[in-house]
Amino acid sequence: MKELNSIIIAFAALQDNPESVFLATIVNVKGSTYRQPGARMLMSSTGNMVGTISGGCLENDVFEHTRVSMPDGKSIVVTYDTNADEDIIWGFGLGCNGVVDVLIECLNPDDPLNPLIFIQQCFNNQQCGIIATVFGVEGEVNVQVGARLILNADNNVNTNIPESALNQVLIKDAQEALKNQCSSFHKYQFGSGEVNVFMEFIQPPFNLLIFGAGRDSVPVAEFAKALGWQVTIFDCRAMEATKGRFMMANEVILTRREILYKQISMNENSIAVVMTHNYFDDLEILKLLIPSNLIYVGCLGSKQRTQRLLTDLQKECGEYPPAQLQKLYAPIGLDIGANTPEAIALSIIAEIQAILTQRNGGFLKDRNQPIHQITQVQEIFIEK
């Protein structure tokens, strides 16, 4: 997320320069690869690069394609097969045993289908969206590589794909992808050929609400910002010095527990960590957070303290449904033997990341399934 933010910022800065700007995006992978579909790299014609699409092996070669393979400015897809013996000959030395398809396109800042502009809109509006990008065309089909359809959270559609039959099925699949909040690959077959599409789910940055402004909250905020999340600090002691301590935060709210309910703003991208070190503050905060629609609420403290909090809460508020209590993680964090503020912050952020990606936080060496989620290729025949 942080990398994508850096790319968007760099693109905005380059719009004032006369040089051409290119975007490389991984649109398909097979086997083991370092980066996954959706990874991007921004390049200027003078060689400035922001972002990565590999461990540093492919970037220079991709840049060379912008110089020698795109004289007409049309989008191209370059395939890197790291299974092939030629990998050693060409000197990439990727060693990932996979295949990577990279879409390279010349960006137009005035193009309404510019993916970076759409992603920035999703981020600014805190809304999800879908980018459906054509990365493969075989046979006689009136569609070009790099053509796309975008769908925002309000179901507004924009497309430059001339095939009306393809647009109709793309809209349906994009709406389904938006509902399921997942990316996927699709193969659309015509009588005269086929079209491969990467259906990319765009997720705005998560907003981490940190309740508590002690020194142990600082590394939690720093780790979250390193991941590109938004961070809001709530200081129930209302100390002005807190603003200086949390310069990295997007917002610092000085408050008291009695008025906190007036100042909290939560949406589907919000997650919360409670670490005030004040029992009565935690009690009031959890009253607001447990019944909310947050998918994660973490609370610092021992099991005994947590049980006491729940007992007092349920005496005052009644029994909570199991689904509401299931999102409460207390004691907070993964079991990594953390003792210092930095290690504890690491365990907290790692636990949140695991919850957001629906993983259990175990050792990868014990995982029997692929490390990365493999999306199924859907094949659909379209009659014209």
Side-chain angles (χ1 to χ4, degrees):
M1 193 69 72
K2 183 179 181 180
E3 179 184 63
L4 190 49
N5 275 320
S6 298
I7 289 173
I8 291 172
I9 292 171
F11 175 67
L14 286 170
Q15 290 183 35
D16 296 329
N17 297 333
E19 56 188 312
S20 299
V21 181
F22 301 88
L23 182 69
T25 306
I26 295 180
V27 290
N28 190 29
V29 299
K30 296 177 183 177
S32 176
T33 59
Y34 183 75
R35 298 300 305 270
Q36 293 298 296
R40 289 179 167 86
M41 178 176 69
L42 188 74
M43 302 164 287
S44 69
S45 56
T46 55
N48 293 317
M49 303 180 191
V50 180
T52 61
I53 54 170
S54 73
C57 316
L58 302 180
E59 282 72 10
N60 289 335
D61 189 72
V62 168
F63 174 67
E64 283 301 311
H65 277 287
T66 68
R67 302 175 63 183
V68 302
S69 305
M70 304 174 64
D72 55 2
K74 290 184 178 180
S75 302
I76 62 172
V77 170
V78 181
T79 299
Y80 296 93
D81 187 348
T82 63
N83 291 305
D85 293 337
E86 289 81 2
D87 177 34
I88 298 176
I89 296 174
W90 288 106
F92 292 132
L94 302 180
C96 293
N97 296 320
V99 180
V100 182
D101 290 330
V102 180
L103 171 71
I104 309 173
E105 57 188 316
C106 186
L107 294 182
N108 179 355
D110 298 322
D111 184 359
L113 287 164
N114 184 316
L116 295 185
I117 293 176
F118 177 68
I119 292 171
Q120 184 176 29
Q121 291 171 351
C122 290
F123 285 9
N124 291 343
N125 297 330
Q126 280 287 293
Q127 291 182 328
C128 301
I130 295 293
I131 302 177
T133 304
V134 174
F135 68 88
V137 179
E138 295 183 12
E140 298 181 4
V141 185
N142 186 25
V143 182
Q144 293 185 345
V145 167
R148 57 172 49 95
L149 177 147
I150 60 176
L151 174 77
N152 67 15
D154 297 323
N155 271 321
N156 294 320
V157 175
N158 200 349
T159 180
N160 60 1
I161 297 173
E163 287 281 357
S164 59
L166 179 58
N167 273 318
Q168 290 176 12
V169 71
L170 276 177
I171 291 172
K172 179 181 177 182
D173 289 343
Q175 290 172 336
E176 188 68 18
L178 187 62
K179 177 183 176 182
N180 296 332
Q181 299 193 352
C182 65
S183 300
S184 55
F185 299 99
H186 299 254
K187 180 180 291 185
Y188 300 99
Q189 296 183 337
F190 295 80
S192 56
E194 66 181 38
V195 176
N196 292 309
V197 175
F198 173 40
M199 194 80 65
E200 183 182 8
F201 174 66
I202 304 300
Q203 170 81 54
F206 291 100
N207 183 20
L208 176 60
L209 312 177
I210 301 178
F211 296 87
R215 297 193 180 278
D216 58 344
S217 298
V218 174
V220 177
E222 290 174 338
F223 279 133
K225 291 300 294 182
L227 292 176
W229 298 352
Q230 303 288 306
V231 174
T232 303
I233 303 293
F234 292 89
D235 181 11
C236 290
R237 299 172 299 171
M239 297 180 62
E240 281 292 334
T242 298
K243 294 180 179 179
R245 185 182 302 159
F246 291 92
M247 296 290 290
M248 83 295 286
N250 298 88
E251 187 176 13
V252 175
I253 297 177
L254 307 181
T255 184
R256 295 290 182 185
R257 62 175 178 258
E258 296 83 7
I259 61 172
L260 186 59
Y261 71 95
K262 299 178 180 180
Q263 298 168 296
I264 295 181
S265 177
M266 296 178 285
N267 58 34
E268 60 184 6
N269 297 312
S270 298
I271 46 186
V273 169
V274 182
M275 46 195 313
T276 70
H277 300 281
N278 182 297
Y279 184 86
F280 296 105
D281 283 346
D282 286 3
L283 200 63
E284 292 302 316
I285 293 167
L286 290 177
K287 281 182 187 177
L288 300 172
L289 299 185
I290 292 179
S292 72
N293 61 353
L294 298 179
I295 61 174
Y296 176 93
V297 177
C299 186
L300 192 69
S302 66
K303 286 185 177 181
Q304 292 81 5
R305 185 178 187 271
T306 299
Q307 189 55 55
R308 181 185 169 194
L309 279 168
L310 289 174
T311 299
D312 289 347
L313 282 169
Q314 294 187 80
K315 283 181 180 178
E316 186 173 344
C317 305
E319 292 288 329
Y320 289 108
Q324 290 185 356
L325 293 178
Q326 191 174 8
K327 68 186 176 187
L328 176 63
Y329 290 79
I332 193 173
L334 295 182
D335 182 10
I336 60 172
N339 290 312
T340 65
E342 291 76 15
I344 293 170
L346 178 63
S347 75
I348 292 171
I349 295 298
E351 179 178 70
I352 296 173
Q353 175 68 17
I355 297 304
L356 295 178
T357 55
Q358 299 180 15
R359 295 294 184 91
N360 60 13
F363 296 110
L364 286 177
K365 71 174 186 177
D366 296 329
R367 184 177 174 84
N368 295 321
Q369 297 175 315
I371 294 175
H372 300 289
Q373 297 284 356
I374 304 299
T375 50
Q376 295 293 323
V377 176
Q378 299 185 18
E379 297 190 23
I380 300 174
F381 183 79
I382 301 176
E383 295 184 3
K384 295 179 62 178

